[in-house]
Amino acid sequence: MNYKYILILLLPLFFSCSDYLDQVPQDILTLEKTFESRESSLRYLASVYTYMPDEFDQRSPGGGRGQGTAGAWVAGSDEAEYVWENHASNIVTNGSLNPSTGLVETYWNKYYKGIRTATMLIDNLHLCKLLYPGDYEQWVAEARAVRAMYYYYLLRLYGPVPILETPLSEQSSSTELQIPRNSVEKVGNYILSELQTAIETGLIDNIKLSGNHTSADKGLGHIDQAIAKAFKVQTRMLLASDLFNGSNAYFANLSNEDGTKLFPNYDSARKRQLWADAAREAKEFIDTYVGKGYDLTRIYTGGKLDPYLSYRESIRGYHSEMTNFSNTSTSAIEMIHFRIDSPTDILQYDRTPKHFGVGRAAYEASSALGASQEIVDSYFMSNGLKPIVGYESDHKTPLINNNSGYVEEGFSNSDYLDPVTGRLFAPAGVLNAWVNREPRFYADITFDGQRWLNTSEGVVYTSTQFSGNSGKGVGSSNDYTKTGYVVRKSAPLGNWREGNRINIQLRLAQIYLDYAEALNESDPGNPDILKYVNLIRERAGIPLYGGDLPVPSEMRQAIRDERRVELAFETNRYFDVRRWCIAEQTENKPIHGMNIEKNGPDFFKRTVVENRIFEKKNYFFPIPERDMNINRALVQNTGW
């Protein structure tokens, strides 16, 4: 069978359909037309998926190609900074976000449109008389699961939201539109219940092992039980975290007009139980699926585990590997939730250095997404220890862990090589701070003097100094890194225009870290905590806790440190610091980089890139002003 043809069949599941199918049916004649055939019904199911986030296009938050809901989350956190002043992430980080901001309206409206579209399918698929046996149950269950996932996205961004039991339209009466917000507990329980109902009433168990990977109606791209169960884990992690479990006093009094409190007031025992529920859900996923189409990606070179390749390839998601679930050497084994075919050129352009003047178009792009000094400092040394344990009151001067071997100043005298394979990690002459770091650092960060990934047309070394080939002072004045670093994770190995990529949104490593975190909060000292953190560290090629390194005295912080590195630039950090209620410390301060206005020694000085603002109200987006004006039963989030 022609594989390109297979992919064409799969593509509609994640791209907008025709204008006709983008409109939710308004009357019985349209409904009958929409569901008159199996093919038209399947196309309508595809439109239900339209609003799934396309995180490959974070250059266009709230938009992107088609009807995507790409996030502002990587550059909206302390991980990174886009070069363009008008980038929507700046609205998030500079304190100018407000209820009438377009970004605020976009996510709200698109997710609710997706919810309405899913409900229309659930309520009306019975009109189609030409379905095959099992179609009705499967497609309704998929729509139910996708609808629940949209509510999850709304909950983590806006807090408690209204649950709409029936579809509303522009023709709905004013009375029908007066719908109050439901509480955190009710929204969370609704998401969990709907996902469980979908699991029990029609979702395919595990498409990876179904033998139907390439089927347009039952193959990859459809939500199955594994994905639904993974989102149950994500939902329980939200509900257990301090932002949602009633621990954040700032939102304690948020109530509907009738006095209904929107945030819970749980005691410590109840909070611990929420974490135990999350740990149980995560362990059930692990026990059910690991070894059955899911595992951590592990690649061996010369008979030895290759941590650099294993980690790097775990998030690449090649189309050509999409049906290879028999071993751990591909990213397909690790991915759980993903978009089948998001265009990759924007992401790869933003993460490929400018390389002005090298004369090879495949190498030349923008450097637009700069990694912050703060995330650079977070990667471990090769001995598994943190190099930086904090900062002086200026938020810039690092507190160095002297036991780690980290050296802040000076330059290396020799190449630093991968201890497993001998590949070049850091050429001689680079800053000592970038030498002797863990393999994930070299997979995720492009620094001044580093060799570029693409060597097909010759070797190129990236220079981000002012007059360097990727510096501010050469070529396009709109394309350079504001931090002196470029995000390397998910960058192309060849031409930045090439596709062949799956957009991975959730992978098994995150479930492992979810399990460790939830278990540590509910049952500290449980041996599984170390086991699953160490599985991540083992794959990363750094010493294990309880082995070469002592067990951390602050296990909560150790788990958060591991999560920050392993899941860097995968949209998690933005939401993690909020659900942990630590964003007032991590986001309300400057972010730093190298001094991109200088060459030579002056370049290698920690420099403020942006002074960021975070207030307590910023833990959630505000409810859009337009919707507040229409639906008078809505109450605004605290502080807005």
Side-chain angles (χ1 to χ4, degrees), residues 115-311:
I115 287 167
R116 184 164 177 260
T117 307
T119 301
M120 293 299 294
L121 184 140
I122 293 168
D123 290 348
N124 295 288
L125 185 60
H126 67 276
L127 296 173
C128 184
K129 307 303 181 184
L130 301 174
L131 299 178
Y132 298 163
D135 282 348
Y136 177 82
E137 293 79 8
Q138 178 196 334
W139 296 354
V140 166
E142 285 185 42
R144 189 181 301 278
V146 172
R147 183 174 66 180
M149 292 162 70
Y150 289 151
Y151 274 113
Y152 164 82
Y153 291 131
L154 284 167
L155 176 63
R156 72 174 184 170
L157 189 56
Y158 296 94
V161 295
I163 298 172
L164 305 184
E165 299 290 351
T166 57
L168 297 174
S169 71
E170 293 179 359
Q171 286 72 44
S172 298
S173 69
S174 174
T175 301
E176 290 176 307
L177 294 175
Q178 305 310 301
I179 304 171
R181 299 171 71 172
N182 293 96
S183 67
V184 165
E185 186 173 30
K186 285 189 175 181
V187 176
N189 287 340
Y190 176 81
I191 295 169
L192 293 168
S193 175
E194 288 292 284
L195 288 171
Q196 187 60 35
T197 298
I199 290 167
E200 294 174 354
T201 59
L203 290 184
I204 298 169
D205 177 21
N206 184 351
I207 290 175
K208 285 186 175 183
L209 301 184
S210 69
N212 293 315
H213 313 124
T214 58
S215 168
D217 54 356
K218 297 182 185 299
L220 294 169
H222 290 262
I223 301 298
D224 62 6
Q225 290 186 29
I227 297 171
K229 289 176 181 178
F231 268 82
K232 288 186 69 181
V233 176
Q234 301 313 299
T235 303
R236 291 198 184 276
M237 291 295 291
L238 280 189
L239 298 178
S241 297
D242 283 356
L243 184 57
F244 295 90
N245 71 13
S247 294
N248 192 316
Y250 187 72
F251 299 101
N253 295 321
L254 183 60
S255 304
N256 285 333
E257 295 296 335
D258 64 1
T260 301
K261 284 190 172 293
L262 297 181
F263 284 81
N265 183 24
Y266 296 139
D267 60 21
S268 58
R270 176 60 176 145
K271 292 174 184 177
R272 190 178 305 112
Q273 184 59 51
L274 290 174
W275 283 115
D277 292 343
R280 171 184 51 78
E281 200 84 60
K283 189 59 161 61
E284 286 180 4
F285 182 95
I286 292 167
D287 289 344
T288 301
Y289 294 108
V290 173
K292 300 174 184 176
Y294 290 92
D295 211 329
L296 295 181
T297 299
R298 295 185 182 88
I299 298 174
Y300 293 83
T301 300
K304 296 180 180 180
L305 178 67
D306 188 333
Y308 170 82
L309 274 189
S310 297
Y311 170 73

Side-chain angles (χ1 to χ4, degrees), residues 319-338:
H319 279 148
S320 54
E321 298 176 351
M322 281 298 291
T323 59
N324 186 359
F325 309 115
S326 61
N327 59 62
T328 65
S329 65
T330 72
S331 58
I333 199 76
E334 188 160 338
M335 60 183 166
I336 299 173
H337 179 50
F338 50 90

Side-chain angles (χ1 to χ4, degrees), residues 454 456-457 573 586 612:
N454 185 356
S456 61
E457 298 178 46
R573 177 71 174 172
T586 64
R612 294 190 167 183

Side-chain angles (χ1 to χ4, degrees), residues 286-596:
I286 292 167
D287 289 344
T288 301
Y289 294 108
V290 173
K292 300 174 184 176
Y294 290 92
D295 211 329
L296 295 181
T297 299
R298 295 185 182 88
I299 298 174
Y300 293 83
T301 300
K304 296 180 180 180
L305 178 67
D306 188 333
Y308 170 82
L309 274 189
S310 297
Y311 170 73
R312 188 189 75 182
E313 296 302 293
S314 69
I315 49 84
R316 291 198 62 78
Y318 298 104
H319 279 148
S320 54
E321 298 176 351
M322 281 298 291
T323 59
N324 186 359
F325 309 115
S326 61
N327 59 62
T328 65
S329 65
T330 72
S331 58
I333 199 76
E334 188 160 338
M335 60 183 166
I336 299 173
H337 179 50
F338 50 90
R339 290 174 64 108
I340 282 289
D341 193 24
S342 297
T344 59
D345 56 333
I346 289 177
L347 174 139
Q348 294 180 157
Y349 183 80
D350 293 349
R351 302 187 185 194
T352 298
K354 180 164 32 177
H355 290 149
F356 178 76
V358 304
R360 282 153 281 183
Y363 291 62
E364 298 173 348
S366 74
S367 313
L369 186 59
S372 70
Q373 186 66 53
E374 285 72 16
I375 190 65
V376 167
D377 291 344
S378 298
Y379 288 84
F380 297 92
M381 302 299 290
S382 63
N383 60 13
L385 296 177
K386 292 174 62 174
I388 308 294
V389 294
Y391 302 92
E392 299 283 3
S393 58
D394 62 1
H395 303 296
K396 179 176 70 172
T397 305
L399 300 174
I400 296 173
N401 177 5
N402 293 323
N403 295 323
S404 70
Y406 176 79
V407 178
E408 173 87 358
E409 305 292 340
F411 302 93
S412 65
N413 295 318
S414 60
D415 292 344
Y416 177 63
L417 306 178
D418 183 340
V420 174
T421 66
R423 66 170 58 88
L424 179 66
F425 273 166
V430 303
L431 192 68
N432 279 324
W434 307 329
V435 174
N436 202 30
R437 303 295 285 271
E438 61 159 309
R440 290 179 294 192
F441 176 79
Y442 300 103
D444 285 1
I445 305 295
T446 297
F447 49 83
D448 182 70
Q450 192 176 22
R451 187 172 67 184
W452 181 236
L453 292 164
N454 185 356
T455 59
S456 61
E457 298 178 46
V459 174
V460 170
Y461 291 87
T462 303
S463 176
T464 56
Q465 297 184 34
F466 181 78
S467 299
N469 61 28
S470 300
K472 181 180 179 180
V474 302
S476 170
S477 60
N478 294 318
D479 291 334
Y480 59 92
T481 165
K482 290 183 72 173
T483 68
Y485 303 97
V486 185
V487 174
R488 197 178 184 94
K489 194 173 200 174
S490 297
L493 304 181
N495 193 321
W496 61 264
R497 296 175 179 83
E498 293 175 356
N500 185 32
R501 295 287 298 282
I502 304 304
N503 182 341
I504 302 175
Q505 313 251 13
L506 174 62
R507 57 191 177 94
L508 183 63
Q510 182 172 336
I511 299 294
Y512 281 6
L513 291 168
D514 289 340
Y515 178 49
E517 179 183 343
L519 200 57
N520 187 63
E521 299 295 333
S522 60
D523 185 18
N526 189 303
D528 267 6
I529 299 169
L530 276 183
K531 174 182 176 180
Y532 283 91
V533 171
N534 278 337
L535 282 172
I536 299 298
R537 289 175 70 86
E538 177 189 37
R539 199 266 296 275
I542 53 178
L544 309 186
Y545 295 130
D548 293 331
L549 294 178
V551 176
S553 58
E554 298 291 336
M555 183 55 72
R556 174 187 288 173
Q557 189 59 52
I559 293 169
R560 291 180 178 182
D561 291 342
E562 202 67 48
R563 188 179 181 94
R564 184 176 189 182
V565 172
E566 176 69 25
L567 303 178
F569 313 116
E570 295 182 46
T571 75
N572 285 275
R573 177 71 174 172
Y574 178 96
F575 295 103
D576 280 348
V577 298
R578 283 162 174 75
R579 68 181 179 87
W580 294 332
C581 292
I582 65 170
E584 291 159 77
Q585 291 76 51
T586 64
E587 309 302 299
N588 191 34
K589 61 182 184 181
I591 63 165
H592 299 84
M594 297 287 94
N595 188 347
I596 62 168

